[in-house]
Amino acid sequence: MTLAIAKSCGPGRPKDLEKRAAILDAAKNLFPRSGFEGTSMDAIAAEAGVSKLTVYSHFTDKETLFVAAIRERCAEQMPATLFSIDRKAPVRRQLEAIGRAFFALITQPESIALHRLITAGTASAHKLAQLFWDSGPRLLHEDFEKFLRQEVEDGQLDIDDVTRATSQFFALLKGELHARMLCGCSQPITTDEVETHVRATVEFFLRAYAPCAERAAMIKAVR
């Protein structure tokens, strides 16, 4: 990861990666708190403890920084390794791990604030929504689709439309709990409630997409 960042900085001496990380941390804090329009590059520089010139040397404009902050936030909660196939582990266990990480990501205060920001109806909201989708949810969906396709090839799942199944999985994970949080009317959610929700979601998903024999056994087991 460090090597890839260093290479992207162009010829000559590599950028100061610590300053870049500080800028991203500042952006992840300020955009949800102050909104896109209310967050200036000066404010980000001050929060990061660097000059505005340093901010621009790493990120050409505020939109570029916004996109990078979204990607960084998603990568922290849902790293690429989360979608790596572990053939020694049951698919259920991997789906639950992905589900827990996704639910934790979307229910963070910063994520709730960002969602409200891009649905605020302001002049910049539509463009921000597209930037947010392309730099966050779309990439997560693509990673999960690859995961599902591999599980289908391995015979662990039986799915005709992987893209639709991906949307269904993430929509189920959001559920009523996430909707209530967006509305600001949710009570604090306990760890047990989250675990119950994630397991129930995975159980529902597997009843639809487990191989036929396993699906029949699952249905029979609850009768």
Side-chain angles (χ1 to χ4, degrees):
M1 184 67 171
T2 301
L3 182 60
I5 294 173
K7 285 184 176 180
S8 69
C9 296
R13 187 167 144 187
K15 300 287 187 182
D16 186 335
L17 298 183
E18 289 186 3
K19 289 183 179 179
R20 186 181 190 278
I23 294 167
L24 281 172
D25 285 342
K28 287 183 290 184
N29 291 331
L30 289 176
F31 281 129
R33 186 194 313 163
S34 305
F36 185 81
E37 299 295 344
T39 300
S40 67
M41 296 295 257
D42 285 305
I44 290 171
E47 179 91 357
V50 300
S51 69
K52 186 164 71 170
L53 182 61
T54 299
V55 176
Y56 278 109
S57 73
H58 286 273
F59 304 96
T60 55
D61 53 40
K62 191 160 66 168
E63 287 184 3
T64 302
L65 180 52
F66 179 79
V67 167
I70 298 299
R71 288 182 177 174
E72 181 83 359
R73 177 72 71 184
C74 291
E76 287 171 350
Q77 288 289 139
M78 303 190 71
T81 53
L82 192 64
F83 301 96
S84 299
I85 301 297
D86 183 356
R87 290 181 170 83
K88 296 181 180 179
V91 65
R92 178 188 296 272
R93 188 185 304 170
Q94 289 198 265
L95 288 171
E96 288 176 353
I98 293 170
R100 290 186 198 99
F102 179 74
F103 192 79
L105 172 63
I106 63 173
T107 55
Q108 287 179 342
E110 296 84 359
S111 298
I112 297 295
L114 273 174
H115 189 279
R116 290 171 179 161
L117 170 66
I118 63 178
T119 57
T122 61
S124 61
H126 177 73
K127 185 174 185 179
L128 284 180
Q130 190 62 54
L131 287 173
F132 174 81
W133 176 260
D134 287 340
S135 56
R138 182 178 64 81
L139 299 179
L140 291 179
H141 278 227
E142 289 176 356
D143 286 339
F144 190 62
E145 283 187 34
K146 292 176 183 176
F147 170 83
L148 291 183
R149 287 194 177 93
Q150 186 61 62
E151 294 290 7
V152 170
E153 289 180 12
D154 289 351
Q156 299 299 310
L157 295 171
D158 183 8
I159 305 174
D160 292 327
D161 190 337
V162 169
T163 299
R164 186 180 301 278
T166 295
S167 296
Q168 291 169 338
F169 184 71
F170 288 125
L172 285 168
L173 281 168
K174 288 181 178 180
E176 181 184 353
L177 289 176
H178 183 247
R180 289 178 64 82
M181 293 184 75
L182 291 177
C183 294
C185 59
S186 175
Q187 298 297 320
I189 303 172
T190 67
T191 302
D192 287 343
E193 287 176 313
V194 172
E195 187 65 18
T196 298
H197 171 65
V198 170
R199 288 186 177 182
T201 296
V202 170
E203 178 73 19
F204 190 91
F205 189 79
L206 288 176
R207 288 196 186 191
Y209 295 120
C212 293
E214 292 182 29
R215 198 182 316 161
M218 291 166 63
I219 295 173
K220 184 179 179 180
V222 297
R223 286 181 178 174

